[in-house]
Amino acid sequence: MPLNHIFKNSVVKGTLILTIAGLISKLMGFYYKIFLSGVIGAEGIGLYQLVFPITGIAMAVCSMGIENAISRFCAKEKDKAGILTAGLIMSLSLAFVTSYIIYHNAAFIAKRLLLNENAGSLVLVISVSIPFACLHQCICGYYYGTGDAKVPAVSQLFEQFARVGSVLAITFFLNKNSLPVTPVIAVAGIVAGEITSGLFCLLCATVGQHFRPVFRNIKPHIRDITGMALPISCNRILLTLLQSGEAILIPAQLTVSGMSSFDALSAYGVLTGMAMSFIAFPATITQSAAVMLLPSVSKAQSSDNSGMISRTISTSIEMALAMGIFCIGGFITYGAPFGALIFHNNLVADFMRVLAWLCPFLYINTTLTGILNGLGKTGYTFVCGIISTLMRIAFIIFLIPSYKITGYMWGLLVSQCFLTGAYVIFLLRLYHFSFSPVRAIVVPVLSLAVALCGSVIACILALSMAVPYIFCLIAGACAAALIYCGLLFIFIAVSLDTLYSKKDNKGDVSNILKGWLYQ
């Protein structure tokens, strides 16, 4: 049966597992952000978001390149225990040193680098999470390399449960004792989540996989991991430094535009902590696919299977486009007013109507980045990432003073468009994959138009019957999604029927399905 064949594929199976876990985690995180916005406010959310550049730089130094190397080598070599041992030694050594430096320089980092003294306590607390985060990432890289996504998926859920649960418990304790609730609680939640997920992954590796550190002949593994991880880490460090500068510059430039420090931090918090939470929600699917595509494409490249790589590229682009096109209409029509309602902030709706146009480009870029990294083209993705970040920084410096936060959102859109074009042109030169504009763009756009018209009419009728507005929005979004998916499914069925007829009823349905998906 075709479905059995599809679900036996490690990439599809792993993507589904990670997507389900990611959606549950994102849903929890979504309501968690709503809770946080009510407890610490938009300014507190902005302050909370401000410390992420520090962890981003720390993880770039300690684990990003190493995790990719572990995943790639575990997909190719038999001595997986030796590879993981070497990776853990390297990553944890860097993590403890980095954590110590950040912990003892928290006040300086907050004042001189983040340009906000109030972030000092947050930097102090978050430094504790770095070794556990590295442990978590390295073991997840091991599992991705073996094609097993179950443990990373479950660890993601444990991390979110621990994060949300600990913050709720701390908030309850503080309120009960009439103590102030500050953004520090959100950072404490991150620490609790990383500790929980890191220890869970270690337990699974030692008990479930019977992993034991292997120190014999470990030097070749350290050398191999270093050879691959060093350029990736250096690239990620430079890219993360630029992205960190980008995040720090936004509130600073907003004050140049005439906004107060409070309003600037609040606008930054609404954009990054509220509006982007909606836009990033569907990206769970493409992020999961990208993680599983890296070792899969690496295997295909090592066996010189260029046909499989070409099919993977074209299918990834078409699926990301179909999802992104729906998200444009869904976010503009339903997501924007829904976000304004639940966050009690009209800025969320204004931001989402602009950010919605990012979706197709953002989702395509996520999957193509995973493919390019799997092909070993990390240098190219790095250069493109640098150019993209510099473009956004230019928009921050030159347009925010005149157009405020809207100028930055324009920069986001332009930079994502650039990345999509650069990735697609580069991959076309390598593999000459096929692409159907009708199937990938025209059909989804027409399906979206029908879906939105039908769902909006249903919403208007529901409102006339005094159904609460928020329920109308939820029902309308669900109806639009069902109609959209149904129309795409009908198109696939019609295409299959046509292909089947062309085969004079002698073709294998499984092959026909593959032919339609990969042409």
Side-chain angles (χ1 to χ4, degrees):
M1 294 294 291
L3 284 176
N4 290 340
H5 177 78
I6 291 171
F7 286 112
K8 282 179 182 178
N9 184 285
S10 62
V11 176
V12 176
K13 186 177 178 181
T15 299
L16 284 174
I17 292 171
L18 287 176
T19 297
I20 292 168
L23 288 174
I24 296 171
S25 179
K26 291 275 187 182
L27 192 61
M28 290 177 61
F30 179 68
Y31 285 104
Y32 173 62
K33 284 285 179 68
I34 298 171
F35 169 77
L36 277 183
S37 66
V39 173
I40 61 177
E43 185 195 14
I45 293 286
L47 198 63
Y48 166 64
Q49 294 288 139
L50 205 56
V51 301
F52 282 106
I54 302 302
T55 55
I57 294 170
M59 299 311 294
V61 171
C62 304
S63 71
M64 282 186 180
I66 295 172
E67 180 195 7
N68 286 341
I70 291 172
S71 177
R72 191 171 188 188
F73 287 125
C74 281
K76 289 173 153 183
E77 299 183 17
K78 294 182 178 180
D79 186 16
K80 294 176 173 54
I83 293 167
L84 179 56
T85 302
L88 285 173
I89 290 172
M90 296 168 65
S91 181
L92 291 177
S93 299
L94 291 168
F96 282 113
V97 173
T98 304
S99 181
Y100 178 86
I101 293 171
I102 293 174
Y103 184 88
H104 287 279
N105 295 277
F108 173 81
I109 291 170
K111 185 177 181 179
R112 299 298 182 187
L113 300 182
L114 301 182
L115 307 178
N116 195 314
E117 294 181 354
N118 297 327
S121 56
L122 281 70
V123 174
L124 190 73
V125 174
I126 207 167
S127 64
V128 180
S129 70
I130 295 171
F132 297 98
C134 291
L135 176 67
H136 179 203
Q137 287 198 356
C138 287
I139 297 177
C140 283
Y142 163 80
Y143 278 104
Y144 294 142
T146 59
D148 183 2
K150 292 189 292 294
V151 170
V154 175
S155 71
Q156 188 177 357
L157 292 178
F158 270 97
E159 178 183 353
Q160 193 69 288
F161 278 123
R163 178 183 299 186
V164 176
S166 61
V167 170
L168 290 174
I170 294 170
T171 304
F172 175 78
F173 173 80
L174 293 174
N175 287 334
K176 187 178 180 180
N177 292 275
S178 301
L179 296 171
V181 179
T182 68
V184 174
I185 64 163
V187 178
I190 293 176
V191 175
E194 293 294 357
I195 291 173
T196 302
S197 59
L199 295 179
F200 171 77
C201 285
L202 183 61
L203 182 67
C204 289
T206 53
V207 177
Q209 296 288 325
H210 304 291
F211 166 73
R212 297 293 181 272
V214 177
F215 298 100
R216 184 179 57 188
N217 297 326
I218 200 172
K219 288 184 178 179
H221 293 313
I222 292 177
R223 184 175 60 250
D224 291 340
I225 291 174
T226 302
M228 179 178 177
L230 189 60
I232 294 176
S233 295
C234 290
N235 293 346
R236 290 300 304 177
I237 290 167
L238 181 55
L239 185 58
T240 306
L241 283 171
L242 286 172
Q243 290 171 343
S244 301
E246 173 189 350
I248 294 165
L249 275 173
I250 294 171
Q253 288 298 101
L254 286 173
T255 57
V256 174
S257 71
M259 297 175 69
S260 67
S261 179
F262 175 86
D263 290 339
L265 207 54
S266 296
Y268 177 67
V270 171
L271 175 68
T272 57
M274 298 179 191
M276 284 301 295
S277 297
F278 278 92
I279 304 300
F281 192 84
T284 304
I285 300 171
T286 53
Q287 288 166 355
S288 301
V291 168
M292 297 308 300
L293 282 170
L294 192 152
S296 175
V297 170
S298 181
K299 276 185 179 180
Q301 186 187 36
S302 64
S303 59
D304 199 26
N305 191 349
S306 59
M308 184 268 188
I309 296 172
S310 296
R311 292 192 297 270
T312 301
I313 295 168
S314 59
T315 305
S316 299
I317 292 174
E318 290 181 11
M319 291 180 67
L321 266 175
M323 188 172 70
I325 288 169
F326 173 75
C327 287
I328 291 175
F331 283 135
I332 291 174
T333 308
Y334 298 108
F338 182 73
L341 275 176
I342 62 172
F343 283 114
H344 306 289
N345 195 317
N346 290 329
L347 276 179
V348 178
D350 296 337
F351 291 168
M352 285 186 64
R353 290 190 181 99
V354 179
L355 294 174
W357 297 95
L358 283 173
C359 293
F361 308 104
L362 184 64
Y363 304 156
I364 290 172
N365 295 340
T366 304
T367 53
L368 294 189
T369 298
I371 291 171
L372 286 167
N373 286 338
L375 293 171
K377 306 299 181 182
T378 52
Y380 185 76
T381 58
F382 164 70
V383 172
C384 290
I386 291 289
I387 296 172
S388 174
T389 306
L390 289 173
M391 290 170 71
R392 293 196 299 272
I393 290 175
F395 274 80
I396 292 170
I397 294 172
F398 297 111
L399 290 189
I400 282 185
S402 300
Y403 299 97
K404 295 185 169 61
I405 201 73
T406 304
Y408 174 66
M409 290 190 285
W410 292 343
L412 280 173
L413 184 58
V414 171
S415 66
Q416 289 298 323
C417 290
F418 161 76
L419 277 182
T420 302
Y423 287 170
V424 169
I425 291 170
F426 184 77
L427 286 169
L428 271 172
R429 290 176 178 174
L430 288 178
Y431 293 100
H432 307 289
F433 61 89
S434 60
F435 176 78
S436 170
V438 173
R439 187 170 59 235
I441 300 173
V442 176
V443 171
V445 168
L446 293 176
S447 300
L448 175 65
V450 175
L452 289 180
C453 288
S455 61
V456 168
I457 291 170
C459 281
I460 293 171
L461 292 174
L463 284 170
S464 68
M465 293 184 287
V467 176
Y469 184 48
I470 191 167
F471 292 122
C472 289
L473 290 175
I474 295 171
C478 293
L482 288 173
I483 296 170
Y484 182 78
C485 292
L487 290 172
L488 290 183
F489 180 79
I490 291 170
F491 177 75
I492 292 173
V494 171
S495 300
L496 285 174
D497 186 61
T498 303
L499 285 170
Y500 194 82
S501 299
K502 287 180 179 179
K503 291 286 184 178
D504 296 323
N505 296 331
K506 295 179 181 179
D508 177 20
V509 176
S510 175
N511 290 331
I512 294 171
L513 177 62
K514 290 177 187 175
W516 183 86
L517 286 173
Y518 297 139
Q519 279 179 352

